[in-house]
Amino acid sequence: MIKQRIIVAGGAGYIGSHVCVELLSGGASLLIIDNFANSHPEAINRIKELAGAKVDLLQADLADPSQRKNIVDTVKRFQPTGGIHLAGLKAVGESVAEPARYYRINMGSALTMAEALEAAGAKMLVFSSSATVYGEENENPVAETGAASPTNPYGRTKYFIECMLKDIAEADPHWRIINLRYFNPVGAHPSGRIGENPNGVPNNLFPYIAQVAVGKREMLNIFGNDYPTKDGTGVRDYIHVCDLAKGHAAALRYLDQQENGCALDMNLGTGAGYSVLEAVAAFKRASNRDIPYAFAPRRDGDVAEIFANAELAENLLDWRAQKSLEDMCADHWRWQSQNPDGYET
Ligand code: WQD
């Protein structure tokens, strides 16, 4: 197999930084494209430190038409073998308030990434999709054949990008594409050197719990305790970000081995669902810190319960999530306690 030369769009972000460390440790060469809108340049230093390898970096905005030519030329010069597209906005609530911005940035950046890879003759792409494409009427565990009915603009951008990439692959069978549908990525690299670094008040459960544990937030509001679930609180399929990163490396290996073109949707989850209260209890055990909470009204757009059928990735990619909820909490806590102000620390 020839040495992988991978473009990682959004490589300085939470998922992206863990994917870069995993790919570098597997011997790949990387060109990271990031505009640092929702990430920090320090993450690039930490990636190089952890991997003991250099990376090429292009600070650019894939959604900015005026930067498109420079991006395409830089990608062509790198002579990639493929790409991973993680760049985009990802806050569900914000997407409801600013839909046009979400469509412009998420769809525009994905299209520029695909066109840059095509111009470089590297028609191999792993796309960072999301379980949000499933909406709320599928039976659990949800398989890739489940109905795609996203209930918010963020989820619709993910679904529309999946469709756009499938249309591109349909028109040109040299394209090999996997849309990875992440369930709930949490945790951090065991070193504590890279992790989730949300701007402002965290939207997601784990970073919020971690900030309560470290004393940055007073208490956790649990959105709804009257759901038809094991304890009334929302149930999700939390997956360790390092397992998720390994899933990306496995997806690239799979695509690299394909003789013919393909465009596949693939869940990355553990197949297990944990409630908010179970996550809080696990985090308390891992951090040995109290996590004060109060029950609050349900959050608009939340589903009661969703967890993955991950058999397709297990069978095709020979990949399976290995880490437990305890690992997720312990690693998330190590990152948070060692970096109380994230990369600003
Ligand atoms: C998990 C559970 C909340 C915060 C979203 C996106 C998804 C992906 C992950 C980008 C739910 C509850 C949360 C809080 C709470 N993002 N909760 N108090 O909504 O399942 O998924 O983030 O890719 O695409 O849809 O994750 O962590 O926000 O919520 O009670 O302060 O925690 O109600 O039950 P979600 P989440």
Side-chain angles (χ1 to χ4, degrees), residues 36-303:
F36 300 119
N38 194 21
S39 53
H40 198 290
E42 174 59 18
I44 304 290
N45 297 331
R46 305 284 179 96
I47 290 166
K48 293 189 284 190
E49 169 200 312
L50 288 172
K54 75 168 192 60
V55 297
D56 290 359
L57 170 67
L58 171 62
Q59 182 172 350
D61 180 356
L62 282 151
D64 179 351
S66 71
Q67 300 183 41
R68 188 179 177 284
K69 182 178 182 327
N70 180 47
I71 291 168
V72 172
D73 291 346
T74 308
V75 166
K76 285 167 71 174
R77 275 198 303 276
F78 183 73
Q79 296 182 308
T81 53
I84 299 184
H85 185 65
L86 303 115
L89 302 175
K90 63 164 208 162
V92 170
E94 186 183 57
S95 79
V96 174
E98 301 177 64
R101 177 165 166 255
Y102 266 67
Y103 283 110
R104 175 169 51 79
I105 289 174
N106 287 6
M107 309 238 13
S109 61
L111 186 53
T112 298
M113 175 67 163
E115 291 180 328
L117 288 170
E118 184 163 39
K123 299 175 182 179
M124 185 168 81
L125 175 60
V126 172
F127 170 57
S128 163
S129 189
S130 168
T132 321
V133 307
Y134 285 120
E136 42 203 1
E137 74 270 21
N138 293 297
E139 289 287 307
N140 286 306
V142 181
E144 290 80 358
T145 49
S149 50
T151 57
N152 55 73
Y154 160 74
R156 278 189 278 276
T157 66
K158 290 297 189 181
Y159 180 58
F160 295 162
I161 293 166
E162 289 183 358
C163 296
M164 178 176 78
L165 294 176
K166 287 176 195 167
D167 285 342
I168 289 170
E170 184 74 26
D172 174 353
H174 291 97
W175 271 102
R176 293 163 287 163
I177 291 171
I178 289 182
N179 298 314
L180 291 178
R181 291 174 173 178
Y182 307 165
F183 279 69
N184 287 61
V186 298
H189 190 274
S191 66
R193 299 291 287 158
I194 55 175
E196 191 163 10
N197 186 47
N199 293 334
V201 180
N203 295 298
N204 298 138
L205 180 66
F206 264 67
Y208 204 104
I209 289 177
Q211 289 190 10
V212 171
V214 82
K216 274 191 82 166
R217 308 273 168 208
E218 287 227 336
M219 55 169 278
L220 169 73
N221 286 308
I222 297 181
F223 301 139
N225 66 330
D226 58 350
Y227 283 106
T229 61
K230 58 182 94 171
D231 59 21
T233 62
V235 172
R236 296 291 184 275
D237 184 332
Y238 298 103
I239 176 170
H240 196 293
V241 65
C242 290
D243 279 331
L244 199 79
K246 289 184 185 304
H248 287 72
L252 278 176
R253 284 194 300 275
Y254 174 83
L255 291 178
D256 208 28
Q257 291 156 5
Q258 298 315 299
E259 292 293 312
N260 305 316
C262 61
L264 300 168
D265 301 326
M266 211 168 277
N267 289 340
L268 286 189
T270 67
Y274 289 102
S275 73
V276 177
L277 286 173
E278 286 174 321
V280 169
F283 209 98
K284 281 175 72 169
R285 289 193 296 273
S287 62
N288 199 25
R289 295 288 179 90
D290 193 21
I291 315 280
Y293 65 80
F295 292 117
R298 294 182 178 188
R299 180 174 64 177
D300 286 350
D302 274 354
V303 298

